[in-house]
Amino acid sequence: MKGASNETSTADFTNHLEEYEKVLVANEFNVYECTNCDCPFAVSQRFEDHSEIVCPSCLDDSHVIDVGAGTMMKRD
């Protein structure tokens, strides 16, 4: 092939891990579940007062349990 080169190029991953970690921190959530209507939902950890959390489906707070922390990932 005319003009073809045998040189290989490498991807530049400088600061890639640091940027990825920033994205993960920005997308951290507390995951909850309503035992009344079986609705799972998440609330950003940046939301300061988690004591006022209600189920978005049945609007009840008495059956909401904290399932744990989670991270949401967006696919392109």
Side-chain angles (χ1 to χ4, degrees), residues 11-51:
D12 181 11
F13 290 106
T14 307
N15 299 323
H16 177 73
L17 185 56
E18 291 84 3
E19 292 299 317
Y20 182 70
E21 287 173 350
K22 287 179 189 176
V23 169
L24 288 179
V25 168
N27 293 311
E28 289 183 351
F29 293 84
N30 279 39
V31 180
Y32 295 92
E33 184 175 329
C34 179
T35 58
N36 186 44
C37 67
D38 295 325
C39 176
F41 61 98
V43 177
S44 172
Q45 287 185 355
R46 289 185 278 173
F47 186 71
E48 293 182 13
D49 188 9
H50 284 239
S51 66

Side-chain angles (χ1 to χ4, degrees), residues 16 20 23 27 72-76:
H16 177 73
Y20 182 70
V23 169
N27 293 311
M72 288 197 181
M73 303 293 289
K74 180 180 172 185
R75 289 187 175 209
D76 292 332

